[in-house]
Amino acid sequence: MYETNTTNNSRLPKMIGVHPTTVQQKNNLGSLVNDFVAEEIPIALVYNGISHVVMMATPKDLEDFAVGFSLSEGIIQSRDEIRGIDIVQGCHRGIEVHIELSSRRFMALKERRRNLTGRTGCGICGTEQLDEIFKPLTPLPFTQTFSLSYLDNALQELKTVQEIGALTGCTHAAAWISPEGHLVGGCEDVGRHVALDKLLGMKSRSDWQQGAILVSSRASYEMVQKAASCGAEILFAVSAATSLAIEVAEKANLTLVGFCRQGKATVFTHPSRVRD
C-alpha cells in the first residue's frame, strides 16, 4: 500500500495524498508523536489552455477526476471527446490538469463559460441564474436491481477504498458495487463531490454495466445529478439525503437509498429496483 522510511525511529508512509506531521495528544501532552494528515491542494482543470475551475482536492487519481468532472458537468458526453490529458505542477503547491477537448466540445464549453463567473466544490457558486443550477437529465431506464441483503458486505468492503482515510480519518469514498454486493472499484478524496467524480471517471474506462454507486457521505442534489448524468440507476449513501436530492432523484428515475448502515437502509425513491 505504501513505502516507509525511518525518521526519529518512526516509520512514516510515502503515499500520494498523505502528509506526515507531529502532534500533541491529550493523553501525552508532554511530548510530540508522529501522525498523518490528508493533503488538500488546489487542482486547476484547464480545457484547451483556458482555466475553467479550481477545486480543492487530494492529489490522487487526477486523470479520473478530470474525466469524471467533465462527464458529470456535461462538458463532454463520452471519454472519446477528450484528446489528451497532461498533469503538471502549478504554483503555490497546486496542480494543473490540462485537458484537450475536441473542437466541437470546446466551442460548446466556451459558449457556456459566458454565463459563469466562477465555480467551487458546492457546484453553484458563481452561477448567475437559478435555472442554470439544475441540469436537464434524461430519465434513467429501469435495468438494474439490487438486494439489500448484500448491502452489509458492500459497506464493509467500502473501507478498502480509503487507504488515506485509514491513516488520517479525513476522506470520503465513492465505489461501484456489483449486484452481489462486491466492491468493483472506488476512489477517495477529502471532498465527497471529488471522490464521486473520480469514480465516474474510473467507470468511464471500465466495463461496469451492472451495479450501483455507494458513497460514504450524505446525498446532496449534486451527488444525485452527477450519478444520474453518468447513467447510474442506484445511489446508496451512508448518511442522509436532502429534500432536493430526493426531488431530483425522483425526476431522474434514480433509486436513492440513504442511511445505509449495517442492517439498515432507507429507500427514498423508486423502490422497485431494490428488494430485501
Side-chain angles (χ1 to χ4, degrees), residues 9 71 104 132 168 174 210 214 218 254 260 265:
N9 297 321
L71 286 167
R104 183 167 64 91
E132 294 173 2
T168 67
Q210 303 294 312
L214 171 61
R218 68 183 176 90
L254 180 138
C260 296

Side-chain angles (χ1 to χ4, degrees), residues 73-256:
E73 292 294 315
I75 295 171
I76 60 174
Q77 297 299 313
S78 72
R79 192 185 186 98
D80 294 340
E81 293 171 324
I82 292 179
R83 301 294 184 245
I85 296 176
D86 291 314
I87 299 173
V88 299
Q89 190 66 45
C91 59
H92 305 297
R93 296 186 300 171
I95 293 176
E96 293 182 356
V97 183
H98 290 258
I99 305 123
E100 188 70 22
L101 296 177
S102 68
S103 298
R104 183 167 64 91
R105 282 300 167 195
F106 182 56
M107 292 298 293
L109 178 61
K110 286 200 299 184
E111 180 65 27
R112 175 181 173 184
R113 280 175 55 84
R114 295 177 184 177
N115 296 322
L116 297 177
T117 59
R119 289 296 301 273
T120 71
C122 72
I124 65 170
C125 298
T127 303
E128 294 180 341
Q129 299 180 24
L130 287 176
D131 59 6
E132 294 173 2
I133 295 173
F134 304 104
K135 304 176 184 68
L137 293 171
T138 301
L140 294 163
F142 285 82
T143 65
Q144 307 292 313
T145 60
F146 193 94
S147 173
L148 294 179
S149 63
Y150 296 133
L151 185 57
D152 285 356
N153 184 75
L155 289 167
Q156 188 65 32
E157 291 189 7
L158 185 63
K159 299 175 183 177
T160 65
V161 173
Q162 295 171 284
E163 292 183 344
I164 296 173
L167 286 172
T168 67
C170 193
T171 64
H172 283 296
W176 185 262
I177 54 176
S178 72
E180 296 75 34
H182 296 298
L183 189 144
V184 180
C187 299
E188 64 178 328
D189 198 273
V190 292
R192 57 195 173 90
H193 299 104
V194 178
L196 180 56
D197 277 332
K198 288 179 178 180
L199 174 71
L200 295 174
M202 180 182 290
K203 181 179 181 297
S204 73
R205 60 179 171 84
S206 306
D207 187 26
W208 299 345
Q209 301 299 326
Q210 303 294 312
I213 292 176
L214 171 61
V215 296
S216 65
S217 63
R218 68 183 176 90
S220 64
Y221 90 92
E222 190 176 20
M223 300 285 276
V224 169
Q225 280 196 154
K226 285 178 178 291
S229 67
C230 291
E233 296 181 32
I234 307 172
L235 174 62
F236 293 104
V238 168
S239 192
T242 67
S243 62
L244 191 52
I246 295 170
E247 180 181 334
V248 173
E250 188 67 46
K251 292 179 179 179
N253 285 351
L254 180 138
T255 296
L256 178 59

